[in-house]
Structure formats: C-alpha cells, structure tokens
Amino acid sequence: MSEGVEWALHSCLNLTWAPPGEAVTAAKLAAFYSLPAAYLNKHLQALARAGILASTSGPRGGFRLARPPEKITVMDVVTAIEGPEEAFRCTGILAAGPGGRTDVDYRAHCVISQTMAEAELAWRGHLAGRTLADLKATVEQRFPHTPENTRNGFANARA
Amino acid sequence: MSEGVEWALHSCLNLTWAPPGEAVTAAKLAAFYSLPAAYLNKHLQALARAGILASTSGPRGGFRLARPPEKITVMDVVTAIEGPEEAFRCTGILAAGPGGRTDVDYRAHCVISQTMAEAELAWRGHLAGRTLADLKATVEQRFPHTPENTRNGFANARA
DNA sequence: GATGTGCTACTCGGATAGCCTGTGTCCGAGTGGCGACGG
DNA sequence: CCGTCGCCACTCGGACACAGGCTATCCGAGTAGCACATC
C-alpha cells in the first residue's frame, strides 16, 4: 500500500484541529512531519478531487476539510489515494482452463475470487466504520493537549 | 496485490486434485490456464520455500502439496507470495512531529496505525479461516466433475 | 537372463533483462492582498 | 480622507524525471530412468 495513505490520514486528522474556516497550506502540513511538501501536495490534490478536502489558491489559501469529520471515513481517504479498485483483482483465468466459458463472470462464480472479496469486504467494513471524528476523539482523550499543540504547530511553521 | 497470488491459489487448488503421491510439473500447471510456465515456476518456488509445496527435480519430478489441504490456509499462500509484512506499514511519522519521541513505538500507540492494523487483522482472519480443503469441498459441491476434469487436464497437457 | 554402468532427457532453481506503478521535483496559471495614486 | 487601480507574492495544479518492484525469460545444476554392455 502506498505510503501516501499514511500521510493523507495524518494530514486529514491534523486538519481536524485547524482553526475553523481557516485553510492550511500544503507546506505547513508537510513541515509538521518533515515531509516533502510538493509530493504531499500531490496527495492532497487527490483528496480534493475525491471531495474530501476543499482547496483554495492564492494568499491565505490552502486546504480544509470539505465535510465535517463525522462524515469522513478512513475508507474514504484510503480510496482517494489508492484508487477504487480492490487489491485482489480476479483476472478470470478459469476462462482459459478446460471447461472455461468466456461469457461467465468469474468474479462472481470463482470460489477463490469470492473468498478474497469477502476478506476485503471485512477490511473495507472496518475502515468504513471509523470516521475522522472517532480518531479525533480518541486522540484528544489520550493526549488532551494535542489540539493546542497542532494549532501551534501550524502557526509556528514557516511557509 | 500481485497477480501471482491468483495463480498460486488456483495452482494449489488444482494440486488438491492431483493423483496422490504424484508430482505435477510447473509446465502442466501453467498449461492449465495458458500461463507463462517459467514465471509460474518462480511463484511455485516461493511456495516451496514457504513449506506449502514440496518440489522434486528430474524426470517424474514436479510439485505436490507438502501438507494435507486442511492444514493449508489461503493466508498461508498469500503470505508466501506477497511476503509477511503487512500492507499498511506505519513509518512512525509522528516521531518527526512536535512532541514526538524517537523512543516510542508508534505502531502500538498511533491511532491511525491501530485502526489500519485492526482492519488488516480482520482481513487476515478471514483468509486464515479458509483452508484449501474448504475451497476444494465447495468447488466439488458446485461442480462435481471438477476433480476428474482436472486430472484429465494434467494427463493431457504436454510437457 | 541378471546386473552394473554410463548416458540422456527432464525438471527445478537461481541469475538476468524489460516494463509499469509509485516517488519525488519543478515550474506555470490563477488569485487574494497590499500599496500607490488620484479625486 | 476615501475609492480605485496595478503590482506582487503566494498557493494550488499539473507536467516532468527517477527508482523499485513486479513481470517475463533463459540457462545451468541435479536427478531419475533407460539402454547397453558385460558376466
């Protein structure tokens, strides 16, 4: 899985603590964890295309959450970065075997494909059931001064 | 995910129906689905290294299951091909942030890492709970002549 | 006819190229803010 | 003093190189079986 997923999740979570109605630049988000700003920007663009973030150009511009954290699941972020297609892609090689039909959808009939699809469904279900608001609440409970620290980090970061 | 996983799973399942005590060559397994034999061989080697298959060189050689199908899970096969490391790899970027410690294992404390790990655990659990014997039984119930067809395919396949 | 030996063909195993998806970087288009200028 | 205009700096957005891993292939090491010569 792409490393950008981790960056995107942490960045979205940090945006949760940004001052309301204020946009944070990609440079500030990157400086938070010493990440390459231009590359993180690329991933943030993907999140914006997916409708998770809203982007603003020019001075005082940057990124902010397009929806309240309760409406953004971890699965949404992963899908925005990794793409919608599932990890295990059934190529239907059974069609090339003896007794194979080319007019049959083996994604639905092949037992192996079904098993992998079920497992992936369980994975997706876990991630779809966890929202940014859940993560935010958990972090704030464990580390109460995280919101303040994050805001200060944004304010002190140059660029 | 690598396409070799699909090939490996189908090949292992086909080996389930091979005549007992008889080895099947990589060429025959590849001919079954018109796959490149040399490349499939590479994946079968990985399965052999993982102790899932037993390989024999020379004439009358080939591959056979190293354990009864009840003792081989889908997860075993996936791990043998894809490697043991988990898909989401927490790089601990929190350590580079404000208040980050380099002596803390963020794979255990970072909420994002935990969430991804739980989801992946669900995925692995599903695959670890499904054995080759389960797949074999399901296929035989749906398509009763598959064992015979597979054996004939092995016999008729040249090379 | 039985047996030992050398050869042959066959199969796995690892070493070797090619390609395609991330990874990382750069510069241009667009925009809001600020200062200067004029009324 | 107030309004307008022009410039400028800032930010996203997409186009451009680089790398690592998956895909694909080939040839060599080892071995089981067979044919043949010999006893």
Coordinates of all heavy atoms in Angstrom, one line a residue, chain C residues 3-5 7-12 14 16 19 21-24 26-28 30-32 36-38:
Chain C
dT3 P 19.7 -59.6 -10.4 OP1 19.9 -60.1 -9.0 OP2 18.5 -58.9 -10.8 O5' 21.0 -58.7 -10.7 C5' 22.3 -59.4 -10.8 C4' 23.3 -58.4 -11.3 O4' 23.2 -58.2 -12.8 C3' 23.2 -57.0 -10.7 O3' 24.4 -56.5 -10.3 C2' 22.6 -56.1 -11.9 C1' 23.3 -56.8 -13.1 N1 22.6 -56.6 -14.4 C2 23.4 -56.2 -15.5 O2 24.5 -56.1 -15.5 N3 22.6 -56.1 -16.6 C4 21.3 -56.2 -16.8 O4 20.7 -56.0 -17.9 C5 20.5 -56.6 -15.6 C7 19.1 -56.8 -15.7 C6 21.2 -56.8 -14.5
dG4 P 24.6 -55.4 -9.1 OP1 25.2 -56.1 -8.0 OP2 23.3 -54.7 -9.0 O5' 25.6 -54.4 -9.7 C5' 26.9 -54.9 -10.2 C4' 27.3 -54.0 -11.4 O4' 26.4 -54.1 -12.5 C3' 27.4 -52.5 -11.1 O3' 28.7 -52.0 -11.5 C2' 26.3 -51.9 -11.9 C1' 26.1 -52.8 -13.0 N9 24.8 -52.9 -13.6 C8 23.6 -53.2 -13.0 N7 22.6 -53.2 -13.8 C5 23.1 -52.8 -15.0 C6 22.4 -52.6 -16.2 O6 21.2 -52.7 -16.5 N1 23.3 -52.3 -17.3 C2 24.7 -52.1 -17.1 N2 25.4 -51.8 -18.2 N3 25.3 -52.3 -15.9 C4 24.5 -52.6 -14.9
dT5 P 29.2 -50.6 -11.1 OP1 30.6 -50.7 -10.7 OP2 28.2 -50.0 -10.1 O5' 29.1 -49.8 -12.5 C5' 29.6 -50.5 -13.6 C4' 29.3 -49.6 -14.8 O4' 27.9 -49.9 -15.3 C3' 29.4 -48.1 -14.6 O3' 30.1 -47.5 -15.7 C2' 27.9 -47.6 -14.6 C1' 27.3 -48.6 -15.5 N1 25.8 -48.8 -15.3 C2 25.0 -48.8 -16.4 O2 25.3 -48.6 -17.5 N3 23.6 -49.0 -16.1 C4 23.1 -49.2 -14.8 O4 21.9 -49.3 -14.7 C5 24.0 -49.2 -13.7 C7 23.5 -49.4 -12.3 C6 25.3 -49.0 -14.0
dC7 P 29.3 -41.7 -20.6 OP1 30.3 -41.5 -21.6 OP2 29.4 -40.9 -19.3 O5' 27.8 -41.5 -21.2 C5' 27.3 -42.5 -22.0 C4' 25.8 -42.3 -22.3 O4' 25.1 -42.6 -21.1 C3' 25.5 -40.8 -22.6 O3' 24.7 -40.7 -23.7 C2' 24.8 -40.3 -21.3 C1' 24.1 -41.6 -20.8 N1 23.9 -41.7 -19.3 C2 22.6 -42.0 -18.8 O2 21.7 -42.2 -19.6 N3 22.4 -42.0 -17.5 C4 23.5 -41.8 -16.7 N4 23.3 -41.8 -15.4 C5 24.8 -41.5 -17.2 C6 24.9 -41.4 -18.5
dT8 P 24.6 -39.3 -24.6 OP1 25.0 -39.6 -26.0 OP2 25.2 -38.3 -23.8 O5' 23.0 -39.1 -24.5 C5' 22.1 -40.2 -24.6 C4' 20.8 -39.8 -23.9 O4' 20.9 -40.0 -22.4 C3' 20.3 -38.4 -24.1 O3' 19.0 -38.4 -24.7 C2' 20.4 -37.7 -22.7 C1' 20.2 -38.9 -21.8 N1 20.7 -38.8 -20.4 C2 19.9 -39.0 -19.4 O2 18.8 -39.4 -19.4 N3 20.6 -38.8 -18.1 C4 21.9 -38.4 -17.9 O4 22.3 -38.3 -16.8 C5 22.6 -38.2 -19.1 C7 24.0 -37.7 -19.0 C6 22.0 -38.3 -20.3
dA9 P 18.5 -37.1 -25.5 OP1 18.1 -37.5 -26.9 OP2 19.4 -36.0 -25.3 O5' 17.1 -36.8 -24.7 C5' 16.3 -37.9 -24.3 C4' 15.6 -37.5 -23.0 O4' 16.6 -37.4 -21.9 C3' 14.9 -36.1 -23.0 O3' 13.6 -36.2 -22.6 C2' 15.8 -35.2 -22.1 C1' 16.3 -36.3 -21.1 N9 17.6 -35.9 -20.5 C8 18.7 -35.4 -21.1 N7 19.7 -35.1 -20.3 C5 19.2 -35.5 -19.1 C6 19.8 -35.4 -17.8 N6 21.0 -35.0 -17.5 N1 19.0 -35.8 -16.7 C2 17.7 -36.2 -17.0 N3 17.1 -36.3 -18.2 C4 17.9 -35.9 -19.2
dC10 P 12.6 -35.0 -22.8 OP1 11.4 -35.6 -23.5 OP2 13.3 -33.9 -23.3 O5' 12.1 -34.7 -21.3 C5' 12.0 -35.8 -20.4 C4' 12.3 -35.2 -19.0 O4' 13.7 -35.0 -18.7 C3' 11.6 -33.8 -18.7 O3' 10.7 -34.0 -17.6 C2' 12.7 -32.9 -18.4 C1' 13.8 -33.9 -17.9 N1 15.2 -33.4 -18.1 C2 16.0 -33.2 -17.0 O2 15.6 -33.5 -15.8 N3 17.3 -32.8 -17.1 C4 17.7 -32.4 -18.3 N4 19.0 -32.0 -18.4 C5 16.9 -32.6 -19.5 C6 15.7 -33.0 -19.3
dT11 P 9.5 -32.9 -17.5 OP1 8.2 -33.6 -17.2 OP2 9.5 -32.0 -18.6 O5' 9.9 -32.1 -16.2 C5' 10.1 -32.7 -15.0 C4' 10.9 -31.9 -14.0 O4' 12.2 -31.8 -14.5 C3' 10.4 -30.4 -13.9 O3' 9.7 -30.2 -12.7 C2' 11.7 -29.6 -14.0 C1' 12.8 -30.6 -14.0 N1 13.9 -30.2 -14.9 C2 15.2 -30.0 -14.4 O2 15.4 -30.1 -13.3 N3 16.1 -29.7 -15.4 C4 15.9 -29.5 -16.7 O4 16.8 -29.2 -17.5 C5 14.6 -29.8 -17.2 C7 14.2 -29.7 -18.6 C6 13.6 -30.1 -16.3
dC12 P 9.3 -28.7 -12.3 OP1 8.0 -28.8 -11.5 OP2 9.3 -27.8 -13.5 O5' 10.4 -28.2 -11.3 C5' 10.6 -28.9 -10.1 C4' 12.0 -28.6 -9.5 O4' 13.0 -28.5 -10.6 C3' 12.1 -27.2 -8.8 O3' 12.9 -27.3 -7.6 C2' 12.8 -26.3 -9.8 C1' 13.7 -27.3 -10.6 N1 13.9 -26.9 -12.0 C2 15.2 -26.7 -12.5 O2 16.2 -26.8 -11.7 N3 15.4 -26.4 -13.8 C4 14.4 -26.3 -14.6 N4 14.6 -26.0 -15.9 C5 13.0 -26.6 -14.2 C6 12.8 -26.9 -12.9
dG14 P 16.6 -21.1 -5.3 OP1 17.1 -21.0 -3.9 OP2 15.2 -20.6 -5.5 O5' 17.6 -20.2 -6.2 C5' 18.9 -20.7 -6.5 C4' 19.5 -20.0 -7.6 O4' 18.8 -20.2 -8.8 C3' 19.6 -18.5 -7.5 O3' 20.9 -18.0 -7.9 C2' 18.5 -18.0 -8.4 C1' 18.5 -19.0 -9.5 N9 17.2 -19.1 -10.2 C8 16.0 -19.3 -9.7 N7 15.0 -19.4 -10.6 C5 15.7 -19.2 -11.8 C6 15.2 -19.2 -13.1 O6 14.0 -19.3 -13.5 N1 16.2 -19.0 -14.0 C2 17.5 -18.8 -13.7 N2 18.3 -18.6 -14.8 N3 18.0 -18.8 -12.5 C4 17.1 -19.1 -11.6
dT16 P 23.8 -12.7 -12.8 OP1 25.2 -12.6 -13.4 OP2 23.5 -11.9 -11.6 O5' 22.8 -12.2 -13.9 C5' 22.8 -12.9 -15.2 C4' 21.6 -12.5 -16.1 O4' 20.4 -12.9 -15.5 C3' 21.5 -10.9 -16.3 O3' 21.9 -10.6 -17.6 C2' 20.0 -10.6 -16.0 C1' 19.4 -12.0 -15.9 N1 18.2 -12.0 -15.0 C2 17.0 -12.1 -15.5 O2 16.7 -12.1 -16.7 N3 16.0 -12.1 -14.5 C4 16.1 -12.2 -13.1 O4 15.2 -12.2 -12.4 C5 17.5 -12.1 -12.7 C7 17.8 -12.2 -11.2 C6 18.5 -12.1 -13.6
dC19 P 10.3 -3.0 -22.7 OP1 9.7 -3.1 -24.0 OP2 11.4 -1.9 -22.4 O5' 9.2 -2.7 -21.6 C5' 8.2 -3.8 -21.3 C4' 7.5 -3.5 -20.0 O4' 8.3 -3.6 -18.9 C3' 6.9 -2.1 -20.0 O3' 5.5 -2.1 -19.5 C2' 7.8 -1.4 -19.0 C1' 8.1 -2.5 -18.0 N1 9.4 -2.3 -17.3 C2 9.4 -2.5 -15.9 O2 8.3 -2.8 -15.3 N3 10.5 -2.3 -15.2 C4 11.6 -2.0 -15.8 N4 12.7 -1.8 -15.1 C5 11.7 -1.8 -17.2 C6 10.6 -1.9 -17.9
dT21 P 0.8 0.9 -14.9 OP1 -0.5 0.2 -15.2 OP2 1.1 2.1 -15.7 O5' 0.8 1.3 -13.4 C5' 0.6 0.3 -12.4 C4' 1.5 0.6 -11.2 O4' 2.8 0.8 -11.6 C3' 1.1 1.8 -10.4 O3' 1.1 1.5 -9.0 C2' 2.1 2.8 -10.7 C1' 3.3 1.9 -10.9 N1 4.4 2.6 -11.8 C2 5.7 2.7 -11.3 O2 6.0 2.3 -10.1 N3 6.6 3.2 -12.1 C4 6.3 3.7 -13.4 O4 7.2 4.2 -14.1 C5 5.0 3.5 -13.9 C7 4.6 4.0 -15.2 C6 4.1 3.0 -13.1
dG22 P 0.3 2.3 -7.9 OP1 0.5 1.7 -6.6 OP2 -1.1 2.6 -8.4 O5' 1.1 3.7 -7.9 C5' 1.3 4.3 -6.6 C4' 2.7 4.0 -6.2 O4' 3.6 3.8 -7.3 C3' 3.4 5.0 -5.3 O3' 4.2 4.4 -4.3 C2' 4.2 5.9 -6.3 C1' 4.6 4.8 -7.3 N9 4.8 5.4 -8.6 C8 3.8 5.5 -9.6 N7 4.2 6.0 -10.7 C5 5.6 6.3 -10.4 C6 6.6 6.8 -11.3 O6 6.5 7.2 -12.4 N1 7.8 6.9 -10.6 C2 8.1 6.5 -9.4 N2 9.3 6.6 -8.9 N3 7.1 5.9 -8.6 C4 5.9 5.9 -9.2
dT23 P 4.6 5.3 -3.0 OP1 5.2 4.3 -2.0 OP2 3.5 6.1 -2.6 O5' 5.8 6.2 -3.5 C5' 7.1 5.7 -3.7 C4' 8.1 6.8 -4.1 O4' 7.9 7.2 -5.5 C3' 8.0 8.1 -3.3 O3' 9.3 8.4 -2.7 C2' 7.6 9.1 -4.3 C1' 8.1 8.5 -5.6 N1 7.4 9.0 -6.8 C2 8.1 9.5 -7.9 O2 9.3 9.7 -7.8 N3 7.4 9.9 -9.0 C4 6.0 9.8 -9.1 O4 5.5 10.1 -10.2 C5 5.3 9.2 -8.0 C7 3.8 9.0 -8.1 C6 6.0 8.8 -6.9
dG24 P 9.4 9.6 -1.6 OP1 10.5 9.2 -0.7 OP2 8.1 9.9 -1.1 O5' 9.9 10.8 -2.5 C5' 11.1 10.7 -3.3 C4' 11.2 11.8 -4.3 O4' 10.2 11.6 -5.3 C3' 10.9 13.2 -3.7 O3' 12.2 13.9 -3.7 C2' 9.9 13.8 -4.7 C1' 10.0 12.9 -5.9 N9 8.7 12.9 -6.6 C8 7.5 12.5 -6.2 N7 6.5 12.5 -7.1 C5 7.2 13.1 -8.2 C6 6.7 13.4 -9.5 O6 5.5 13.2 -9.9 N1 7.7 13.9 -10.3 C2 9.0 14.1 -9.9 N2 9.8 14.6 -10.9 N3 9.5 13.8 -8.7 C4 8.5 13.3 -7.9
dC26 P 13.5 20.6 -7.0 OP1 14.9 20.9 -7.1 OP2 12.8 21.0 -5.8 O5' 12.7 21.2 -8.3 C5' 13.1 20.8 -9.6 C4' 12.1 21.3 -10.6 O4' 10.8 20.7 -10.4 C3' 11.8 22.8 -10.5 O3' 12.4 23.5 -11.6 C2' 10.3 23.0 -10.5 C1' 9.8 21.5 -10.7 N1 8.6 21.2 -9.9 C2 7.3 21.0 -10.4 O2 7.2 21.2 -11.7 N3 6.3 20.7 -9.6 C4 6.5 20.5 -8.3 N4 5.5 20.2 -7.6 C5 7.8 20.7 -7.7 C6 8.8 21.0 -8.5
dC27 P 12.4 25.1 -11.6 OP1 13.6 25.6 -12.4 OP2 12.2 25.6 -10.2 O5' 11.1 25.5 -12.4 C5' 11.0 25.0 -13.8 C4' 9.5 25.2 -14.2 O4' 8.6 24.5 -13.3 C3' 9.0 26.7 -14.3 O3' 8.3 26.9 -15.5 C2' 8.1 26.8 -13.1 C1' 7.5 25.4 -13.0 N1 7.0 25.1 -11.6 C2 5.7 24.6 -11.5 O2 5.0 24.5 -12.5 N3 5.3 24.3 -10.3 C4 6.1 24.4 -9.2 N4 5.6 24.0 -8.0 C5 7.4 24.8 -9.3 C6 7.9 25.2 -10.6
dG28 P 8.0 28.4 -16.0 OP1 8.6 28.5 -17.4 OP2 8.5 29.4 -14.9 O5' 6.4 28.4 -16.1 C5' 5.8 27.6 -17.1 C4' 4.3 27.5 -16.7 O4' 4.1 27.0 -15.4 C3' 3.5 28.8 -16.8 O3' 2.3 28.6 -17.4 C2' 3.4 29.2 -15.3 C1' 3.2 27.8 -14.7 N9 3.7 27.8 -13.3 C8 4.9 28.1 -12.8 N7 5.0 27.9 -11.5 C5 3.7 27.6 -11.1 C6 3.2 27.3 -9.8 O6 3.8 27.3 -8.7 N1 1.9 26.9 -9.8 C2 1.1 26.8 -11.0 N2 -0.2 26.5 -10.8 N3 1.6 27.1 -12.2 C4 2.9 27.4 -12.2
dG30 P -5.2 30.8 -16.1 OP1 -6.5 30.3 -16.7 OP2 -4.6 32.0 -16.6 O5' -5.5 31.0 -14.5 C5' -6.0 29.9 -13.8 C4' -6.1 30.4 -12.3 O4' -4.8 30.6 -11.7 C3' -6.9 31.7 -12.1 O3' -7.9 31.5 -11.1 C2' -5.8 32.7 -11.7 C1' -4.8 31.8 -11.0 N9 -3.4 32.3 -11.0 C8 -2.7 32.7 -12.1 N7 -1.5 33.1 -11.8 C5 -1.4 33.0 -10.5 C6 -0.3 33.3 -9.6 O6 0.8 33.7 -9.8 N1 -0.7 33.0 -8.3 C2 -1.9 32.5 -7.8 N2 -2.0 32.3 -6.5 N3 -2.9 32.2 -8.7 C4 -2.6 32.5 -9.9
dT31 P -9.0 32.6 -10.8 OP1 -10.3 32.0 -10.7 OP2 -8.8 33.7 -11.8 O5' -8.5 33.2 -9.4 C5' -8.1 32.2 -8.4 C4' -7.5 33.0 -7.2 O4' -6.1 33.3 -7.4 C3' -8.2 34.3 -6.9 O3' -8.5 34.4 -5.5 C2' -7.2 35.3 -7.3 C1' -5.9 34.7 -7.0 N1 -4.8 35.2 -7.8 C2 -3.6 35.5 -7.1 O2 -3.4 35.3 -6.0 N3 -2.6 36.0 -8.0 C4 -2.6 36.2 -9.3 O4 -1.7 36.6 -9.9 C5 -3.9 35.9 -9.9 C7 -4.0 36.0 -11.4 C6 -4.9 35.4 -9.2
dG32 P -9.9 35.0 -5.0 OP1 -10.8 33.9 -4.6 OP2 -10.4 36.0 -6.0 O5' -9.4 35.8 -3.7 C5' -8.8 35.1 -2.7 C4' -7.6 35.9 -2.1 O4' -6.7 36.2 -3.1 C3' -8.1 37.3 -1.5 O3' -7.8 37.3 -0.1 C2' -7.3 38.3 -2.4 C1' -6.2 37.5 -3.0 N9 -5.8 37.9 -4.3 C8 -6.6 37.9 -5.5 N7 -6.0 38.4 -6.5 C5 -4.7 38.7 -6.1 C6 -3.6 39.2 -6.8 O6 -3.5 39.5 -8.0 N1 -2.5 39.4 -6.0 C2 -2.5 39.1 -4.6 N2 -1.3 39.3 -4.0 N3 -3.5 38.6 -4.0 C4 -4.6 38.4 -4.7
dA36 P 3.7 52.6 -0.8 OP1 5.1 52.7 -0.7 OP2 2.8 53.2 0.3 O5' 3.2 53.3 -2.2 C5' 3.5 52.7 -3.4 C4' 2.7 53.2 -4.5 O4' 1.3 52.7 -4.4 C3' 2.6 54.7 -4.6 O3' 2.8 55.1 -6.0 C2' 1.2 55.0 -4.1 C1' 0.4 53.8 -4.5 N9 -0.7 53.5 -3.7 C8 -0.7 53.3 -2.3 N7 -1.9 53.1 -1.8 C5 -2.7 53.0 -2.9 C6 -4.1 52.8 -3.1 N6 -4.9 52.5 -2.0 N1 -4.6 52.8 -4.3 C2 -3.8 53.1 -5.3 N3 -2.5 53.3 -5.3 C4 -2.0 53.3 -4.1
dC37 P 3.1 56.7 -6.2 OP1 4.2 56.8 -7.3 OP2 3.2 57.4 -5.0 O5' 1.7 57.1 -6.9 C5' 1.2 56.3 -8.0 C4' -0.3 56.7 -8.2 O4' -1.1 56.2 -7.1 C3' -0.5 58.2 -8.2 O3' -1.1 58.6 -9.5 C2' -1.5 58.5 -7.1 C1' -2.1 57.1 -6.8 N1 -2.6 56.9 -5.4 C2 -4.0 56.6 -5.2 O2 -4.7 56.5 -6.2 N3 -4.4 56.4 -3.9 C4 -3.5 56.5 -2.9 N4 -3.9 56.3 -1.7 C5 -2.1 56.8 -3.1 C6 -1.7 57.0 -4.4
dG38 P -1.1 60.1 -9.9 OP1 -0.7 60.1 -11.3 OP2 -0.5 60.9 -8.9 O5' -2.7 60.4 -9.9 C5' -3.6 59.5 -10.6 C4' -5.0 59.7 -10.0 O4' -5.0 59.3 -8.6 C3' -5.5 61.1 -10.0 O3' -6.8 61.2 -10.7 C2' -5.6 61.5 -8.6 C1' -5.8 60.2 -7.9 N9 -5.4 60.1 -6.5 C8 -4.1 60.4 -6.0 N7 -4.0 60.2 -4.7 C5 -5.3 59.8 -4.3 C6 -5.8 59.5 -3.0 O6 -5.2 59.5 -2.0 N1 -7.1 59.2 -3.1 C2 -7.9 59.1 -4.2 N2 -9.2 58.8 -4.1 N3 -7.5 59.4 -5.4 C4 -6.1 59.8 -5.4

